[in-house]
Amino acid sequence: MLFKRKDESNIELMEELIPQHIAFIMDGNGRWAKKKGMPRTYGHHEGTKNIRTLALEANRLGIKAMTVYAFSTENFKRPQSEVDFIFKLPKEFFKIYLKDFLENNIQVRYIGHIEQAPKSTRDVILDSVEQTKNNTGLILCFAFIYGAQDEILCAVKDIVKDVKEGAISEDEISEELFESYLMSADLPPLDYMIRTSGECRLSNFMLWQMAYAEMYFSDVYWPDFDVEELYKALDHYQKCDRRYGGLK
Ligand code: FPP
């Protein structure tokens, strides 16, 4: 089956080559807002609308999981007013869009240390996770107060603890076992990472999971990365020759 764009791009996507798990580094909100003569926070606010738009389309395309990098462990270095603003976004976001996720069978999840967020932010995320937990469509996963190095260190510490307590033996430690200790353990393997705004770096995002992910760096700022841009990115993905270190 084909998914066809009805615009001038004429992009056709093949169902059998749709990635299972895509992830976004949603960059460029601040520059997008500045270009419009608006405060940086306006960019974050407008950027949230895009999460909903792309999640609905990803769900329609049969993508199983979409992870969005909403707040990194390093983002605490930003001015407190910006941090506070981002922490208030989930409340408004889920108030408006949770019904769309419920209607469209989308399941909300998170990875990261949401226990470090204010209670009101934490509660709204946990409530959305709870209300959508039986949905079987797209998993929309928020990386919130997330850092990949921290995730890996937490996994190492948990494994050491379990070895010490005798729950597992050192010999059992394998790539599969290690993965089961990561915050992303229940998500499908990551196929595709998309970063917006022209920056080409990984910024401490899903480093373990990206071992064999394809990558796409778009010059478009996140608030402008619309469904058409998603199709362009997926078109690129469908042309990738994934060999996982082997030969074809
Ligand atoms: C990077 O752009 C973006 C962020 C650090 C935050 C992204 C967050 C959202 C889009 C909202 C999250 C929403 C929910 C519901 C949790 P930047 O500020 O680094 O942009 P710049 O590089 O242009 O300055």
Side-chain angles (χ1 to χ4, degrees):
M1 182 183 150
L2 285 174
F3 294 102
K4 224 171 164 169
R5 282 297 289 166
K6 291 195 187 79
D7 52 34
E8 72 277 9
S9 73
N10 275 325
I11 291 175
E12 293 179 347
L13 298 175
M14 282 169 285
E15 191 180 15
E16 60 276 20
L17 290 178
I18 291 288
Q20 279 201 66
H21 183 179
I22 62 173
F24 287 103
I25 300 183
M26 308 182 287
D27 199 8
N29 293 342
R31 281 165 284 163
W32 180 87
K34 196 172 167 209
K35 235 177 65 186
K36 293 190 160 1
M38 300 294 280
R40 297 176 47 76
T41 47
Y42 178 66
H44 296 318
H45 186 264
E46 293 307 291
T48 57
K49 296 181 183 169
N50 228 10
I51 299 175
R52 177 232 177 219
T53 307
L54 297 185
L56 290 180
E57 187 61 23
N59 188 42
R60 202 181 72 82
L61 291 171
I63 292 172
K64 292 201 167 55
M66 171 174 142
T67 302
V68 291
Y69 204 7
F71 193 89
S72 76
T73 45
E74 289 74 28
N75 286 152
F76 279 115
K77 293 179 199 155
R78 295 188 175 210
Q80 192 59 44
S81 56
E82 186 169 332
V83 172
D84 291 345
F85 185 88
I86 296 177
F87 279 170
K88 286 201 182 102
L89 286 173
K91 198 167 175 189
E92 183 187 338
F93 179 82
F94 288 115
K95 191 172 168 205
I96 304 173
Y97 301 131
L98 184 61
K99 67 167 182 359
D100 292 334
F101 301 149
L102 287 165
E103 274 165 21
N104 286 279
N105 196 25
I106 292 174
Q107 188 187 122
V108 176
R109 286 202 211 165
Y110 70 88
I111 50 174
H113 292 285
I114 65 159
E115 74 280 1
Q116 292 174 20
K119 188 175 179 317
S120 54
T121 308
R122 205 166 59 225
D123 285 353
V124 80
I125 296 173
L126 290 174
D127 177 58
S128 308
V129 169
E130 177 61 25
Q131 287 201 51
T132 59
K133 71 177 182 207
N134 295 322
N135 287 352
T136 54
L138 177 85
I139 296 166
L140 172 59
C141 177
F142 288 83
F144 202 72
I145 317 186
Y146 170 86
Q149 291 178 337
D150 166 77
E151 179 189 32
I152 291 168
L153 273 185
C154 288
V156 169
K157 286 179 187 166
D158 287 346
I159 290 173
V160 169
K161 187 167 165 275
D162 282 353
V163 170
K164 272 189 188 157
E165 289 174 359
I168 52 167
S169 74
E170 196 182 325
D171 297 340
E172 280 177 81
I173 301 172
S174 62
E175 287 169 17
E176 288 72 27
L177 181 111
F178 190 83
E179 268 171 7
S180 73
Y181 280 76
L182 293 173
M183 295 167 177
S184 63
D186 297 331
L187 296 172
L190 181 62
D191 293 311
Y192 202 26
M193 192 285 295
I194 299 168
R195 181 173 190 145
T196 57
S197 94
E199 308 286 351
C200 293
R201 55 179 175 267
L202 301 181
S203 299
N204 200 15
F205 185 51
M206 302 189 92
L207 299 180
W208 173 282
Q209 297 84 346
M210 251 186 257
Y212 276 103
E214 301 295 329
M215 292 180 198
Y216 183 81
F217 296 93
S218 164
D219 285 336
V220 176
Y221 293 147
W222 173 251
D224 285 335
F225 194 92
D226 55 13
V227 169
E228 193 179 337
E229 293 300 330
L230 175 68
Y231 269 69
K232 278 191 217 165
L234 292 174
D235 184 44
H236 172 88
Y237 175 84
Q238 298 211 325
K239 290 174 180 143
C240 291
D241 182 14
R242 302 191 76 190
R243 294 190 298 278
Y244 298 94
L247 297 174
K248 267 190 186 162

